[in-house]
Amino acid sequence: MRLGILPPRAAFHASLSGVVSAVLFVAVFGFGMGVPLCVALPTLPLFLTAFKNGITSLFYACFAAAALALMLAQGQGLLFYLGFIGLPALLLAPGALAGVPAGTLLTDLAFYTALANAGFVGHMVSRGGIEPVVAEALRQGFTQADPAVQAAVDQLAGHWAFLVVGASAWWWMLLVYVHAVLALWLVRLREPVTAPVNLGLRPFTLPLGLLGVLFVCAGGSFVTDANLAFGAKVLFIILLFPYFLLGVSEVHQRVHAWPHRGIVLFLLYFFTLSQGWPALVLACIGVFQQLKALTRHSSP
């Protein structure tokens, strides 16, 4: 990865992309526009400038965005922007421009998300833990709902709050990926991208250490300390994300030659988004694929 000094015109355009990203960030998270589909929208200008003008322009844009976020939202806003928008873009875009497979990039993003959540859970320990905060936020969000819905939310907040945090992390990672794909598509509409960027999801190799960390998190979810158990459950859900992606890529590969694969994939994504539980099935397929690969490599 080579960084350099941009000419004044290019530096201005890159900085302008950062300004747009920071304004979107404030609009989405500061003025009530943070609907689920918009949470990763501020990454779009960063991906656009990276895929169009290179990594140096991305650093210029992130610097300009961070400076504006500091002025508009002060220190906490700056940290939130960098952690939620800037650093993920700096994690994905350089690797994509270097030709790293999308599955590997998203695995790195899952590790980053897990570490960020672990730090946040640890930070909230001194304030009584994150689980009561999540539970209270869920209940407050459905105070005007039907009594049956409120009862379901109370049960979710009481026993499955960790699943809400983990599922939110999945949603955010998927949206970051979708915005990267969208940015690449928009850039290619106007001009060819010479870098070996390929954000299509294909079968990839997962690191063996990920499986070990997954088992450690599964064991940690049974400890007696409530905060530690909650954090372990959240990390377990987040670290299943790469296995979900591997499962999706394997399904794509298997149905590639089917005559009606479009219908099959549509139904798969529809039920995954609407029901949720098929994502766990796909993650199990990913775990099985890694275990099968380990068995194959270890056999004489």
Side-chain angles (χ1 to χ4, degrees):
M1 181 175 62
R2 294 183 177 181
L3 298 178
I5 304 298
L6 292 178
R9 184 181 180 85
F12 171 76
H13 287 156
S15 300
L16 184 60
S17 298
V19 170
V20 172
S21 176
V23 170
L24 286 173
F25 168 76
V26 173
V28 168
F29 295 101
F31 293 102
M33 293 176 57
V35 296
L37 289 176
C38 294
V39 292
L41 185 61
T43 62
L44 185 60
L46 302 182
F47 286 131
L48 283 171
T49 193
F51 294 144
K52 183 178 181 181
N53 300 314
I55 296 303
T56 301
S57 65
L58 175 61
F59 276 87
Y60 273 72
C62 286
F63 180 81
L68 186 57
L70 179 61
M71 289 188 291
L72 295 177
Q74 300 182 343
Q76 289 186 344
L78 171 63
L79 290 176
F80 189 51
Y81 176 85
L82 290 176
F84 207 69
I85 304 298
L87 291 178
L90 289 170
L91 180 65
L92 259 67
L97 288 169
V100 179
T104 302
L105 292 174
L106 291 170
T107 300
D108 293 340
L109 182 62
F111 274 118
Y112 166 80
T113 307
L115 289 173
N117 275 270
F120 184 64
V121 170
H123 172 71
M124 293 298 293
V125 169
S126 61
R127 303 186 180 185
I130 188 176
E131 186 172 9
V133 176
V134 175
E136 182 61 25
L138 281 173
R139 294 189 178 98
Q140 288 293 329
F142 290 88
T143 52
Q144 304 299 323
D146 183 86
V149 175
Q150 290 185 14
V153 170
D154 285 339
Q155 184 177 9
L156 181 66
H159 302 284
W160 303 97
F162 71 91
L163 192 58
V164 175
V165 179
S168 300
W170 274 45
W171 185 247
W172 171 76
M173 289 185 286
L174 284 171
L175 285 177
V176 170
Y177 171 63
V178 167
H179 281 77
V181 173
L182 176 61
L184 182 61
W185 178 74
L186 290 173
V187 170
R188 281 177 170 165
L189 281 179
R190 301 187 60 182
E191 58 188 64
V193 177
T194 57
V197 184
N198 189 348
L199 288 174
L201 196 58
R202 292 173 172 81
F204 57 100
T205 302
L206 285 172
L208 179 59
L210 177 60
L211 192 61
V213 175
L214 198 67
F215 279 116
V216 170
C217 292
S221 64
F222 294 101
V223 299
T224 56
D225 185 280
N227 290 312
L228 185 58
F230 184 85
K233 292 174 185 177
V234 169
L235 297 188
F236 179 81
I237 296 297
I238 293 173
L239 293 177
L240 278 178
F241 183 71
Y243 291 100
F244 163 75
L245 297 174
L246 183 58
V248 170
S249 66
E250 289 291 337
V251 170
H252 270 263
Q253 188 180 49
R254 294 297 178 89
V255 305
H256 179 72
W258 292 11
H260 302 293
R261 62 182 180 276
I263 298 176
V264 174
L265 293 176
F266 170 78
L267 292 174
L268 174 68
Y269 291 135
F270 174 79
F271 283 110
T272 299
L273 291 174
S274 61
Q275 302 295 323
W277 62 263
L280 180 59
V281 176
L282 291 168
C284 290
I285 293 174
V287 173
F288 174 75
Q289 290 298 323
Q290 187 179 32
L291 292 175
K292 186 171 71 171
L294 289 175
T295 303
R296 185 168 57 245
H297 289 313
S298 62
S299 61

